[in-house]
């Protein structure tokens, strides 16, 4: 098989491997503590920081962080600060500020998409703003949000509330669920009338429909978080004692059926980790004791968030639960089909953070989907992403993790934009034209930060632009993405950017090798080699070790002019550098078996 056919075979093989790798299979099979440290710092980038508007900043500066709440409303491109009886909204694209004042203390705001508007009202946008207070819930129509937020002068719907509402979410068919501070789950039933009805779904009997006449008691299970799975028509609930319970929601109005709670999650986790993290000298693995403690001093397992995972296979992952120490618990169904009273969730996989950071973690909020995770402490972020590692004819997926420390306290995380290929959950060199395909908004007390998940092209460029670029950083890229693809990107970046080429004209100490095909003066170039300045290397046909042939320009030119090994010479001017391409081959057959790139200072 000639070299061109071999390269095509390898690429075809890798393409098949990429196609066969599924997110659910990767999550189930990856070791619990395996991360790739070779590209961690280059995998993400802090893109920008948008300071808080002056009006908002001045009010927040006079308050302690516990006295206000910051929220992101990405569907209308607004952020807001809840301060006692007021909410300050600002458009994070234009900076326009709008104040909403109330006669009662405001606890939470959120966006819903009502199925219909009240009688006699035409909807200007598909969205409505829910504002929950001490005694009343108000739903305002949103007339415009392109610049300054513009609300309907009067609420579209009102409902009395005997509990402080802390969360609002919607089901697949538009039903509005709310979570109260004492742990009850409510449903806001709206219709043609402006008076809405608040129904408690976790209180049985006639009290369920007459909340305005009775005082609610705390439920047996106190819920603290709701996560709606619109695809499967269910809702996951998380309780104060870290149990997970599923509520079935079908297409019929009013359907709400709670399945038995999953109470043995800590035991599931302990069994899973003990099976995969062996004891050391008769003692439990350090990761297990860090998470669950010891027999004498057990540590309670605290779940802080739930994230729905889209279904990919019948037995795939359906839910990810995040613990306070940054552990990710992935659950799948115990049987195929819809969740019922006879089926439940089982622990399918666990991912723990790096051991050296886990003991001090205290996760407050998080973001999770099939392309990565963001874990947030009060003033620290942990970001992860998946990428394809391609070596020779083998390909595998690895996860990179890095951390950032914003100056302010973290309040909310939302996906800003996503241009990824939805058919694969990992980044690869096949997406080299993309530099940043995912960006996140992180709202902190000091402003709105934008973080980007970088593609391999941007990761390598970020490394090259460092003034103190370490050789190990490039070697790390080569180990992850393969030498062939990494070196091709390096050559393209240097050839396309004169400033970048000039930056490395005296510091380029990297040996790279590539398998992309380039055409110049009719010569098919399959492999490319860059050696350190003033060094030329001979490329043997068996791809063995390359040894220096000469170390100055005049000696290189003498070898080129002999024509014994150099069949073709071409020069490229790139800023202050000159690339000299020299194709090697057997003289009798006159066929190129390789190519070296020798570059020198002008």
């Amino acid at each position: 098989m000639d070299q061109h056919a071999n390269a095509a075979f390898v690429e075809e093989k890798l393409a098949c491997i990429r196609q066969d790798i599924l997110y659910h299979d990767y999550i189930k099979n990856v070791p619990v503590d395996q991360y790739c440290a070779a590209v961690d710092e280059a995998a993400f980038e802090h893109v920008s920081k948008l300071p808080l508007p002056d009006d908002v900043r001045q009010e927040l500066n006079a308050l302690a962080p516990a006295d206000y709440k910051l929220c992101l409303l990405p569907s209308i491109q607004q952020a807001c600060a809840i301060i006692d009886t007021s909410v300050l909204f600002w458009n994070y694209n234009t900076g326009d500020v709008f104040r909403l004042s109330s006669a009662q203390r405001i606890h939470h705001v959120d966006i819903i998409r009502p199925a219909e508007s009240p009688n006699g009202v035409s909807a200007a946008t598909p969205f409505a703003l829910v504002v929950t207070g001490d005694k009343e819930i108000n739903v305002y129509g949103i007339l415009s949000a392109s610049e300054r937020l513009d609300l309907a002068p009067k609420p579209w719907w009102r409902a009395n509330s005997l509990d402080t509402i802390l969360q609002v979410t919607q089901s697949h068919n538009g039903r509005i669920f709310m979570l109260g501070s004492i742990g009850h789950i409510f449903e806001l039933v709206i219709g043609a009338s402006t008076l809405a009805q608040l129904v408690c779904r976790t209180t049985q009997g006639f009290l369920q429909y007459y909340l305005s006449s009775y005082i609610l008691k705390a439920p047996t299970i106190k819920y603290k978080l709701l996560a709606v799975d619109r695809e499967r028509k269910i809702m996951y609930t998380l309780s104060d004692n870290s149990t997970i319970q599923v509520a079935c929601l079908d297409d019929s109005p009013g359907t709400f059926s709670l399945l038995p709670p999953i109470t043995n999650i800590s035991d599931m986790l302990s069994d899973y980790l003990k099976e995969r993290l062996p004891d050391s000298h008769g003692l439990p693995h350090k990761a297990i004791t860090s998470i669950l403690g010891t027999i004498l001093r057990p540590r309670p397992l605290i779940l802080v968030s739930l994230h729905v995972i889209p279904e990919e296979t019948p037995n795939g992952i359906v839910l990810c639960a995040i613990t306070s120490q940054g552990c990710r618990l992935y659950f799948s169904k115990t049987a195929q089909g819809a969740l019922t009273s006879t089926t439940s969730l089982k622990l399918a996989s666990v991912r723990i953070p790096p051991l050296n950071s886990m003991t001090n973690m205290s996760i407050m909020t998080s973001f999770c989907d099939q392309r990565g995770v963001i874990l947030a402490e009060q003033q620290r972020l942990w970001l992860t992403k998946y990428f394809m590692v391609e070596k020779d004819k083998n390909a595998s997926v690895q996860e990179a993790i890095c951390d950032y420390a914003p100056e302010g306290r973290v309040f909310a995380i939302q996906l800003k934009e996503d241009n990824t290929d939805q058919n694969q959950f990992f980044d690869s060199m096949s997406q080299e034209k993309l530099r940043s395909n995912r960006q996140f908004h992180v709202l902190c007390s000091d402003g709105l930060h934008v973080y980007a998940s970088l593609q391999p092209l941007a990761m390598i460029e970020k490394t090259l632009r460092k003034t103190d670029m370490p050789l190990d950083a490039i070697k790390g890229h080569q180990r992850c993405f393969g030498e062939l693809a990494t070196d091709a990107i390096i050559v393209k970046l240097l050839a396309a950017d004169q400033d970048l080429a000039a930056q490395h004209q005296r510091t380029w100490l990297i040996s790279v090798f590539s398998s992309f095909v380039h055409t110049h003066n009719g010569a098919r170039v399959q492999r490319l080699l860059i050696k350190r300045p003033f060094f030329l290397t001979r490329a043997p046909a068996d791809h063995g070790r390359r040894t220096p042939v000469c170390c100055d320009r005049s000696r290189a030119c003498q070898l080129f002019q002999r024509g014994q090994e150099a069949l073709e010479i071409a020069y490229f001017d790139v800023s202050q550098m000159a690339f000299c391409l020299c194709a090697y081959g057997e003289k009798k057959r006159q066929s190129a078996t390789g190519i070296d790139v020798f570059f020198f200072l002008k």
Side-chain angles (χ1 to χ4, degrees), residues 235-541:
M235 179 168 65
Y236 300 101
T237 68
L238 179 62
S239 69
D240 259 1
N241 59 355
S242 292
T243 62
I244 296 175
Q245 197 168 6
V246 177
C248 296
L249 314 169
D250 60 24
D251 296 328
S252 303
T255 303
F256 189 88
S257 175
L258 281 169
L259 303 184
I262 304 170
T263 59
N264 61 336
I265 297 177
S266 182
D267 294 335
M268 290 183 186
L269 177 59
S270 176
D271 294 340
Y272 188 94
L273 293 179
K274 288 178 180 178
E275 184 178 337
R276 289 158 179 81
L277 298 176
D279 293 352
S280 176
H281 304 291
L283 297 175
H285 194 280
K286 187 177 180 180
I288 298 178
T289 56
S290 297
I291 298 169
L292 299 173
T294 64
I295 296 177
L296 298 177
R297 299 185 63 182
R299 298 187 64 173
L301 181 68
I302 301 175
L303 301 182
V304 296
S305 59
L306 301 177
H307 301 278
V308 174
I309 304 296
E311 191 161 13
E312 189 176 53
T313 60
N315 294 320
I317 306 294
V318 298
L319 182 70
C320 176
I322 309 291
T323 75
S324 59
Q325 292 180 288
C327 299
R328 286 172 274 158
L329 313 184
Y330 293 92
F331 293 89
S332 61
K333 294 179 290 186
T334 55
Q336 294 187 19
L339 285 167
T340 64
S341 57
T342 59
T343 61
S344 185
L345 299 178
K346 62 180 180 181
L347 187 62
S349 182
V350 175
R351 298 284 285 143
I352 64 175
L355 188 59
N356 59 351
S357 58
M358 185 177 11
T359 54
N360 297 321
M361 271 193 174
S362 180
I363 302 302
M364 307 297 292
T365 186
S366 60
F367 171 91
C368 175
D369 66 6
Q370 288 175 284
R371 297 194 62 86
V373 180
I374 300 180
L375 307 174
E377 299 179 274
Q378 282 196 357
Q379 289 186 279
R380 196 175 187 186
L381 291 172
W382 297 88
L383 302 93
T384 84
K385 64 176 294 182
Y386 310 106
F387 57 89
M388 172 67 73
V389 178
E390 300 179 5
K391 293 182 180 179
D392 299 325
K393 299 179 183 179
N394 298 315
S396 62
V397 174
Q398 294 191 23
E399 184 175 13
I401 184 169
C402 66
D403 65 295
Y404 288 89
E407 294 181 2
R409 178 183 176 183
V410 178
F411 280 88
I413 306 169
Q414 290 286 350
L415 183 66
K416 179 175 180 278
E417 62 181 29
D418 189 346
N419 300 318
T420 57
D421 178 5
Q422 299 303 316
N423 294 322
Q424 63 183 41
F425 68 94
F426 50 85
D427 295 338
S428 68
M429 281 297 189
S430 62
Q431 301 168 316
E432 67 174 58
K433 292 183 180 180
L434 295 174
R435 292 175 180 263
S436 171
N437 60 5
R438 274 162 67 89
Q439 290 193 350
F440 301 89
H441 275 149
V442 179
L443 183 58
C444 302
S445 56
D446 65 330
L448 184 65
H449 297 257
V450 177
Y451 291 89
S453 171
L454 302 182
Q455 286 292 320
L457 172 65
M459 293 167 63
I460 295 172
E461 182 178 0
K462 179 181 176 181
T463 300
L464 291 178
R465 292 194 182 280
K466 291 182 178 180
T467 55
D468 57 343
M469 181 193 67
L471 177 60
D472 288 344
I474 290 297
K475 289 184 177 179
H477 291 308
Q478 292 174 335
R479 288 194 300 270
C480 291
F481 305 123
E483 292 185 7
L484 308 182
T486 300
D487 304 342
I489 294 296
I490 292 175
V491 172
K492 291 179 181 180
L493 290 171
L494 290 176
D497 193 320
Q498 294 186 2
D499 294 334
L500 190 62
Q503 176 183 333
H504 289 288
Q505 63 177 346
R506 296 186 183 278
T507 60
W508 192 250
L509 302 174
I510 303 167
S511 175
V512 294
F513 181 71
S514 160
S515 69
F516 74 93
V517 177
H518 173 71
T519 302
H520 182 75
N521 291 337
R524 295 283 293 179
V525 177
Q526 186 179 8
R527 292 190 307 279
L528 207 57
L529 176 68
I530 293 182
K531 270 294 185 183
R532 63 187 64 190
F534 301 102
F535 275 82
L536 175 67
T537 64
R538 180 181 287 112

Side-chain angles (χ1 to χ4, degrees), residues 536 538 549-550 552-569 571 580 582-585 587 590:
L536 175 67
R538 180 181 287 112
V549 175
C550 63
D552 58 43
R553 177 175 179 175
S554 61
R555 175 61 176 156
C557 291
Q558 290 177 12
L559 284 179
F560 294 157
Q561 291 170 2
R562 290 179 186 176
Q564 296 176 351
E565 295 175 333
L567 301 179
E568 184 174 349
I569 302 172
Y571 288 92
C580 178
C582 177
Y584 287 92
K587 192 172 183 180
Q590 297 292 304

